[in-house]
Amino acid sequence: MCETCGCNHQQSPVITGGPKYGGNFRPEDIIFTGGDTENNGGKKREIEVKENVLGKNQDLAQSNRAFFNTHKILAINLMGSPGSGKTTLIIKTIEALKGEAEIFVVEGDQFGSLDADRIRETGIDVLQINTGNGCHLDADSVGRAIRELPLKANALLIIENVGNLVCPALFDLGEHEKVVVFSVTEGDDKPLKYAPMFHEASICIINKVDLMTYVDFDQEKARANLRQINHHLLVHTLSSGQGTGMPEWIETLREKMKSLQSEKRNAHATKKEG
């Protein structure tokens, strides 16, 4: 788990580049305390912290989810390897839906703000989270971020997680949909090699299909591998750069937003009738 990959580093994430540009918003140290040791007959024994870390994260995620549900904000946790095309997908999604819905982005990277700067050129509000040695976002950092963003009811919130096919799968952010992106350049075996990520996702995007003639990628084999890990997974094949397959992805988002808003209206109507 994250104790072995740097997330137990004591450096806090830094949230920058949000609507409040006058300085950085720096949260307190977050929950990744890592392991500890104690003497046991001259031997060191590791104290397991995974359950406590994930338990606290889950409580915070539920709080985030309650906020999203109350304000009918569809929250998407976008995950995938570096270079899978997540940022381009976000930009093209914004271009397709701008004018239909308010869109906000939380951008997660270990360092820098290159992707956030690209997204900000579309004219929407973006908030950068730099995780330092942390290899994923967590519910605490996202909760702080959504308090900084001027979120509005009925909006779409896209959270671009740190590029990583391992740790982001473990941490619920309070999102409605976990979307994993992998490109044809990564190989059709990725669902089997990184099974937890694809098992936890609700939507998978096979990206950069315009490059299939140049790489060794079997789309049917990839889909079979996905079904083996998660037969409930909704799969889109597209090229975010070229636009191929994008209308189907956009329609999925429209349906998800309408469904969330309809559920809230029905719940409100039922309560009122009662």
Side-chain angles (χ1 to χ4, degrees), residues 51-215:
E51 183 176 344
N52 290 338
V53 169
L54 293 179
K56 182 175 180 180
N57 184 83
Q58 191 61 37
D59 290 342
L60 295 170
Q62 292 292 3
S63 178
N64 291 347
R65 187 171 290 108
F67 174 84
F68 296 141
N69 286 336
T70 297
H71 298 284
K72 306 178 186 178
I73 298 169
L74 180 67
I76 303 295
N77 180 4
L78 194 64
M79 304 173 290
S81 299
S84 60
K86 298 187 299 299
T87 304
T88 299
L89 178 66
I90 291 172
I91 291 171
K92 296 300 183 179
T93 299
I94 292 169
E95 292 174 353
L97 289 174
K98 203 170 183 180
E100 281 186 47
E102 295 279 355
I103 305 172
F104 300 85
V105 174
V106 172
E107 177 63 39
D109 282 302
Q110 287 189 305
F111 298 96
S113 61
L114 294 175
D115 290 342
D117 294 340
R118 287 178 58 199
I119 296 169
R120 193 171 290 116
E121 290 177 359
T122 66
I124 71 162
D125 284 310
V126 184
L127 196 143
Q128 176 75 53
I129 301 179
N130 288 131
T131 61
N133 284 344
C135 58
H136 59 84
L137 298 178
D138 70 339
D140 185 35
S141 58
V142 169
R144 295 172 185 276
I146 62 179
R147 292 195 292 271
E148 284 286 297
L149 281 168
L151 292 172
K152 298 178 182 178
N154 303 313
L156 170 64
L157 174 65
I158 303 176
I159 305 164
E160 182 174 358
N161 221 310
V162 178
N164 185 346
L165 279 176
V166 183
C167 289
L170 297 174
F171 286 80
D172 185 3
L173 306 180
E175 72 279 351
H176 296 102
E177 305 290 339
K178 282 183 167 67
V179 181
V180 58
V181 182
F182 81 109
S183 68
V184 300
T185 58
E186 297 174 66
D188 48 40
D189 60 349
K190 288 300 172 289
L192 300 182
K193 295 178 71 173
Y194 298 92
M197 171 65 73
F198 292 90
H199 182 269
E200 292 301 315
S202 54
I203 301 173
C204 175
I205 292 176
I206 302 174
N207 197 14
K208 302 185 182 181
V209 294
D210 55 305
L211 300 179
M212 283 185 58
T213 57
Y214 305 102
V215 297

Side-chain angles (χ1 to χ4, degrees), residues 238-253:
L238 56 83
S239 168
S240 55
Q242 299 298 315
T244 307
M246 282 295 292
E248 291 81 5
W249 158 245
I250 297 300
E251 188 57 33
T252 292
L253 289 179

